Amino acid sequence: MVTAELFTTLRKEVARLKPVYDLGYVTEINANALVVAGLSKVARQGDEVSFSAEHGQNHHGEITRLSTDTVTIMPYGSLDGVAIGTPVKLLGAPLLAPDNSWIGHVLDPFGVPMDGSTITTGPLSKSVHAPAPPAHARQIMGERLQTGVGVMDTFLPLAKGQRIGLFAGSGVGKSTLLGRLAKRVPADVTVIALIGERGRELQEFIQKALGPEGMERSIIVAATSDMAPNLRRRAAWTAMTIAEHFRDQGAHVLFLADSLTRFAEAYREVAVSAGEEANMRGFPPSLTHALAALSERAGPGTKGQGMITAVMSVLVAGSDMEEPVADILRGLLDGHILLNREIAERGRYPAIDVLRSVSRCLPDAATEPENAMLSQARRLIGAYDRAEMMVQSGLYERGNDPQLDQAIAALPRLEAFFGDGRHLSIEQSFEALAACLPD
């Protein structure tokens, strides 16, 4: 039986069909690229193409370089079976047509369900490279959001429309923290970009970190580590385009990305393959603009639109915040949260290093009494941090420094508060923090 919904979907799909395609042909095959003649006068940078290999297997790719007579194509998969003279069809700019029915699905970088199910495409096709909202027309950040993570709700608040980085090495609990945020941060929809993840980690994240509660309001866009670099890179753009679809309807979107470092690594592979020199400690200079363009698409929308609150993870080896990707993003985002391996090895999760983390929505996001409490707590943590070696080695004698004495007494209570896994309200979190501090 043909329903009205099915008929509408078919009409949209027919409207997207092109009666005529421009064709080129393969003239050169490299290890990870094709050189194609016949398209240089009609193709544009970033356009998509399709071509058939032996046995009729259909392949797709992306134009990464243009010259007077030829274009260079990076395929989305293997080049096995492709021959000189293989016809290449020009498909045009990469587009996506998001729909509200995508909620609850796991999609590939093209917006296709990875489980083989069928979803409805939206009425409007959008470029995955859409510009950010005009800076002069944006709203300001909204109210403080409850994350259900006590240390964030107090020391590192997350405001509606804020973009914050989660800086961490591998294996220190960033995926678990992202899953907690996906389940606990109040939002109309959550869009999650899993970029370059190991294949086995996808189901682990869905079932363990996210769970049914988080999945029922989420859309996941996944590109595993074995996918081509241009697909891993595209996963971030596809996820952001989906988030913008809901933002344009006035919704509040929580955007989670894991990780922007793997996006940067994929971007580097594509850029170097296209001929750009990697002279920024192994990364191409254009990466700075690519990261800025992606992160600027998140945040508050214009009047009448919603907001995209973004938490994006960044891999840092040995907590090195001076690495190129970490250094670039630290200047682009509205705060950074550092997960410290030494803290994780002590068994405290989330392993957030409070002194080295900052949320740029403070002090405005907190009340005056709350800010005074946070300042007192930071002073105590800082006093202990500066004298930790002396205290641990037994060289410090009680009574020499009253503030340090208070810090030593308060530290066990503060550590317990930082690792408290209970789902507390913001008010309850501040009450718990107040109980850790001296009168």
Side-chain angles (χ1 to χ4, degrees), residues 24-29 34-37 51 73 82-88:
Y25 57 93
V26 175
T27 62
E28 184 179 337
I29 302 174
L34 299 175
V35 179
V36 174
F51 50 94
I73 294 168
V82 180
I84 299 296
T86 296
V88 177

Side-chain angles (χ1 to χ4, degrees), residues 12-26:
K12 288 185 290 187
E13 292 299 324
V14 170
R16 293 189 181 101
L17 294 176
K18 291 175 61 177
V20 178
Y21 289 90
D22 292 295
L23 290 177
Y25 57 93
V26 175

Side-chain angles (χ1 to χ4, degrees), residues 118-290:
T118 302
I119 59 174
T120 302
T121 55
L124 296 176
S125 295
K126 305 178 181 182
S127 171
V128 298
H129 302 296
H136 70 279
R138 289 191 181 196
Q139 307 170 66
I140 62 172
M141 285 193 299
E143 70 275 9
R144 177 173 53 181
L145 296 169
Q146 180 175 309
T147 68
V149 181
V151 64
M152 289 185 62
D153 283 341
T154 51
F155 289 89
L156 303 164
L158 182 66
K160 184 181 288 188
Q162 187 176 2
R163 304 161 306 161
I164 199 162
L166 187 61
F167 292 72
S170 57
V172 294
K174 61 178 174 53
S175 295
T176 302
L177 181 54
L178 287 173
R180 286 176 67 179
L181 296 176
K183 290 186 288 188
R184 296 181 177 182
V185 174
D188 298 309
V189 62
T190 302
V191 179
I192 304 170
L194 298 180
I195 307 163
E197 291 289 322
R198 302 175 187 89
R200 66 168 180 78
E201 291 180 330
L202 176 58
Q203 279 301 321
E204 285 185 6
F205 181 83
I206 293 172
Q207 295 180 18
K208 295 182 179 180
L210 201 57
E213 176 190 358
M215 193 63 208
E216 67 181 8
R217 69 164 194 181
S218 299
I219 301 171
I220 296 178
V221 179
T224 53
S225 58
D226 60 332
M227 289 186 176
N230 45 4
L231 285 180
R232 285 181 270 132
R233 183 187 61 167
R234 178 173 172 149
W237 292 329
T238 295
M240 186 62 74
T241 304
I242 295 171
E244 290 168 336
H245 162 77
F246 290 96
R247 179 207 63 195
D248 293 347
Q249 298 178 26
H252 173 220
V253 184
L254 177 64
F255 178 85
L256 305 176
D258 188 15
S259 71
L260 288 191
T261 303
R262 294 195 180 106
F263 167 83
E265 290 169 347
Y267 184 92
R268 173 178 58 190
E269 289 185 57
V270 177
V272 171
S273 177
E276 187 176 358
E277 293 185 8
N279 55 13
M280 192 175 68
R281 290 178 61 183
F283 288 93
S286 63
L287 174 64
T288 301
H289 176 262

Side-chain angles (χ1 to χ4, degrees), residues 291-332:
L291 289 172
L294 178 65
S295 60
E296 280 295 321
R297 291 170 67 178
T302 58
K303 186 177 180 180
Q305 294 182 338
M307 297 190 181
I308 301 174
T309 302
V311 181
M312 300 180 275
S313 75
V314 184
L315 291 170
V316 287
S319 301
D320 182 8
M321 297 289 281
E322 305 304 320
E323 290 184 345
V325 178
D327 192 40
I328 292 168
L329 286 166
R330 200 169 34 158
L332 292 174

